[in-house]
Amino acid sequence: MEYLIPPRELFIDGEWVQPICRKRIPIINPATEEAIGDIPAATPEDVEVAVAAARRAFIRNKGEDWSKASGAVRAKYLRAIAAKVTERKSQLAKLEAIDCGKPLDEAAWDMDDVAGCFEYYADLAEGLDAKQKAPISLPMETFKSYVLKEPIGVVGLITPWNYPLLMATWKVAPALAAGCTAILKPSELASMTCLELADICREVGLPPGVLNILTGLGPEARASLASHPDVAKIAFTGSSATGSKVMTAAAQLVKPVSLELGGKSPIVVFDDIDLDIAAEWILFGCFWTNGQICSATSRLIVHESIASELLDRLVKWSKNIKVSDPLEEGCRLGPIVSRGQYEKILKFISTAKSEGATIQTGGTRPEHLKTGFFIEPTIITDVTNSMQIWREEVFGPVLCVKTFSTEEEAIQLANDTHYGLGAAVISKDPERCDRVSKAFQAGIVWINCSQPCFCQAPWGGNKRSGFGRELGEWGLENYLSVKHVTQYVSPDPWGWYQSPSKL
Ligand code: NAD
């Protein structure tokens, strides 16, 4: 099959710009292990140029600056971007699938979500105009106060490879809606669709410098965003380890950060359920996006009375999942994104085995696929609370199973983790679902499902899964600073000191 990989450069100040170092990074198709193109490698020098461009766009001082434009003007551009994404949906989905390995059907779904997210924040940008100067009720009539919501400035947006364009959109759309200008730094493992977003920005005539997109390797290039004095905020999605580094760099300048980090989310299944319905949600919750989802419910906590019957079904369903090249029709599990991740996941599985866990199904490369970073859907039992496979984020198609006998025990097992991103409960008893939802220590809870996500609802975690919320109105607030204005409205003097003229 032939792929049309558009040759792209860095996107700075509305133009394609070669990286100053002239270096490029190969794009590897994880299904074939072949290099299919390359992306430019930005360095700190390119970051400097991009930050300067974003700063000029923020405060252009000619009545055309992005930060002072009305929300309605910004909305127009966001809607134009959404329309172009929809127009190019099949090309973008294909590029996404061959870049990060996700099944084409899922990539197509992502593109709908990308367009929907730009549309949604266009509405919120317009709504922002009406919310300016919101009055605050005060206990003194001599004063009047109101609130201005202002864009925070130039923002640095750092994103991962598992939903390359969608994770970028969750940041770019609200940042631009708020009036910020931005530098987007996608993951070096999957940047193609973000560079196509740059092309779309050119097509719709987004003012130069409003969005700059820098691809590339080199922790120093990315870290320099966090430590740059002209970058007012960093919004980061990625691993907890990198998030901690970004936060450390930003802390030197007391720079705000929002962090969307990893997870090890539980799914608690009670004994009053329909086994087939539950089995499908359990598998979807862990194996969707090739198991590479921050919120994957990868710890199954099942009532002991149904564990054996449910496990039989899970194993049967798993063996039936179509593992193939993501572009093949009906693919439901593609390859892992890179050799590094592939080897990391296999190491997790071999460590689990050596610690005494049992691999019920999967655990290796599927026999019918000789090349590509493929791993079968894997289910592991006989795990203990202290095993690495139960405690650490695998970020691959690996489900671990433990049983419980009481609701209290299930909640204790679910919350016994450093992470706090997602959690799911499956039961026909609404009161029980309500109780368990409240008891979960997580930012997102699913009842009788796992993973659905809507751009209108907040997304984010607790504990080491990070802080701050993306999406919904919370996502917009991430990029706004609140300015409180108080006016003295009485005709009378304040009268605290005696007037010299009256002495
Ligand atoms: P990662 O932490 O390796 O990289 C994320 C981004 O940070 C990439 O763009 C990378 O180039 C950049 N980066 C790496 N080192 C850096 C440094 N020193 N300074 C600044 N930036 C640096 O994560 P990943 O492997 O790309 O993504 C997988 C992780 O992302 C998983 O842990 C997953 O749970 C998490 N994730 C979280 C969410 C969420 O919403 N909470 C969503 C998707 C992915």
Side-chain angles (χ1 to χ4, degrees):
M1 174 141 355
E2 276 198 18
Y3 313 116
L4 248 189
I5 309 295
R8 300 287 183 216
E9 299 295 342
L10 305 175
F11 184 63
I12 301 177
D13 213 8
E15 303 285 346
W16 295 119
V17 179
Q18 286 195 353
I20 291 168
C21 70
R22 294 286 190 271
K23 286 199 184 128
R24 301 191 71 88
I25 302 164
I27 303 167
I28 307 292
N29 178 344
T32 61
E33 301 180 37
E34 284 167 4
I36 51 172
D38 56 28
I39 52 168
T43 56
E45 291 74 31
D46 301 298
V47 173
E48 280 300 328
V49 181
V51 171
R55 186 144 177 76
R56 282 195 301 277
F58 189 75
I59 44 162
R60 220 182 284 278
N61 274 340
K62 285 188 213 143
E64 56 184 32
D65 48 323
W66 186 255
S67 58
K68 301 280 183 331
S70 71
V73 167
R74 297 196 294 266
K76 199 181 73 177
Y77 288 104
L78 296 181
R79 290 210 178 92
I81 293 172
K84 283 280 171 201
V85 168
T86 304
E87 195 182 302
R88 288 202 194 178
K89 176 177 160 181
S90 69
Q91 179 224 6
L92 291 171
K94 204 177 265 185
L95 289 178
E96 200 78 298
I98 60 178
D99 206 6
C100 75
K102 68 168 63 190
L104 184 61
D105 290 344
E106 293 183 18
W109 199 351
D110 285 3
M111 296 312 135
D112 289 336
D113 285 349
V114 166
C117 190
F118 275 108
E119 290 276 356
Y120 174 73
Y121 280 105
D123 292 349
L124 260 54
E126 283 170 345
L128 199 52
D129 291 343
K131 284 188 186 156
Q132 295 297 0
K133 292 199 170 182
I136 297 172
S137 147
L138 301 176
M140 291 174 82
E141 284 176 6
T142 45
F143 295 98
K144 278 204 182 337
S145 284
Y146 60 84
V147 162
L148 294 174
K149 294 206 167 175
E150 299 180 334
I152 202 162
V154 174
V155 291
L157 315 175
I158 304 175
T159 53
W161 45 261
N162 61 337
Y163 285 82
L165 190 54
L166 188 58
M167 289 298 106
T169 300
W170 284 15
K171 298 186 189 330
V172 170
L176 267 47
C180 293
T181 57
I183 292 107
L184 169 66
K185 160 59 194 82
S187 165
E188 59 275 17
L189 293 180
S191 290
M192 273 202 280
T193 50
C194 287
L195 289 173
E196 292 317 291
L197 175 64
D199 197 46
I200 287 174
C201 291
R202 288 176 75 239
E203 280 189 52
V204 304
L206 188 74
V210 168
L211 177 62
N212 305 274
I213 302 180
L214 300 187
T215 54
L217 279 171
E220 74 285 359
R222 300 162 309 214
S224 67
L225 267 180
S227 54
H228 199 294
D230 287 337
V231 174
K233 181 202 163 111
I234 295 287
F236 173 85
T237 298
S239 62
S240 302
T242 313
S244 164
K245 284 186 201 154
V246 167
M247 194 172 167
T248 304
Q252 309 311 309
L253 298 176
V254 200
K255 181 180 300 192
V257 290
S258 48
L259 299 177
E260 298 286 352
L261 308 178
K264 189 77 186 177
S265 302
I267 180 162
V268 175
V269 179
F270 285 90
D271 53 359
D272 58 352
I273 45 115
D274 177 304
L275 285 173
D276 275 338
I277 293 177
E280 187 165 29
W281 279 116
I282 294 164
L283 297 180
F284 185 77
C286 190
F287 298 154
W288 190 43
T289 308
N290 305 341
Q292 301 168 133
I293 311 189
C294 49
S295 56
T297 38
S298 55
R299 290 187 299 136
L300 169 59
I301 299 166
V302 54
H303 193 274
E304 58 190 8
S305 67
I306 57 160
S308 152
E309 210 182 336
L310 182 66
L311 192 60
D312 278 351
R313 279 179 212 225
L314 291 174
V315 168
K316 273 192 203 120
W317 280 66
S318 297
K319 288 185 191 298
N320 213 24
I321 289 174
K322 179 166 177 176
V323 187
S324 71
D325 186 301
L327 300 186
E328 237 181 66
E329 193 162 348
C331 173
R332 287 291 173 266
L333 197 97
I336 301 306
V337 71
S338 67
R339 176 170 296 284
Q341 286 293 123
Y342 170 78
E343 286 171 355
K344 197 170 136 193
I345 296 166
L346 290 178
K347 181 86 186 14
F348 264 111
I349 295 170
S350 68
T351 302
K353 267 200 268 189
S354 68
E355 286 180 349
T358 306
I359 312 299
Q360 294 288 343
T361 185
T364 54
R365 159 190 293 284
E367 270 182 26
H368 66 287
L369 293 162
K370 304 295 178 218
T371 51
F373 309 126
F374 292 95
I375 297 180
E376 287 180 328
T378 301
I379 300 180
I380 304 183
T381 56
D382 301 319
V383 291
T384 64
N385 289 2
S386 59
M387 280 184 191
Q388 181 205 42
I389 200 82
W390 184 255
R391 304 209 72 80
E392 289 182 25
E393 183 183 45
V394 175
F395 222 57
V398 178
L399 178 71
C400 295
V401 188
K402 278 186 81 63
T403 60
F404 71 89
S405 56
T406 65
E407 186 176 310
E408 197 187 4
E409 190 192 350
I411 291 166
Q412 199 276 329
L413 271 172
N415 288 338
D416 180 21
T417 167
H418 290 312
Y419 293 108
L421 188 55
V425 54
I426 302 205
S427 165
K428 283 188 177 154
D429 178 347
E431 282 174 21
R432 173 150 61 195
C433 288
D434 193 44
R435 268 194 317 273
V436 174
S437 300
K438 285 181 183 146
F440 277 146
Q441 295 166 357
I444 306 144
V445 172
W446 291 285
I447 296 176
N448 291 329
C449 61
S450 176
Q451 303 308 315
C453 166
F454 303 93
C455 68
Q456 295 77 4
W459 181 272
N462 305 332
K463 302 200 261 183
R464 288 189 207 166
S465 293
F467 51 82
R469 292 292 178 267
E470 296 200 301
L471 299 182
E473 296 188 4
W474 302 265
L476 190 68
E477 296 294 334
N478 268 333
Y479 301 98
L480 291 168
S481 77
V482 172
K483 184 184 275 174
H484 145 221
V485 180
T486 288
Q487 184 182 0
Y488 183 58
V489 291
S490 165
D492 300 327
W494 181 227
W496 182 253
Y497 303 107
Q498 213 169 3
S499 164
S501 62
K502 290 191 181 149
L503 288 176

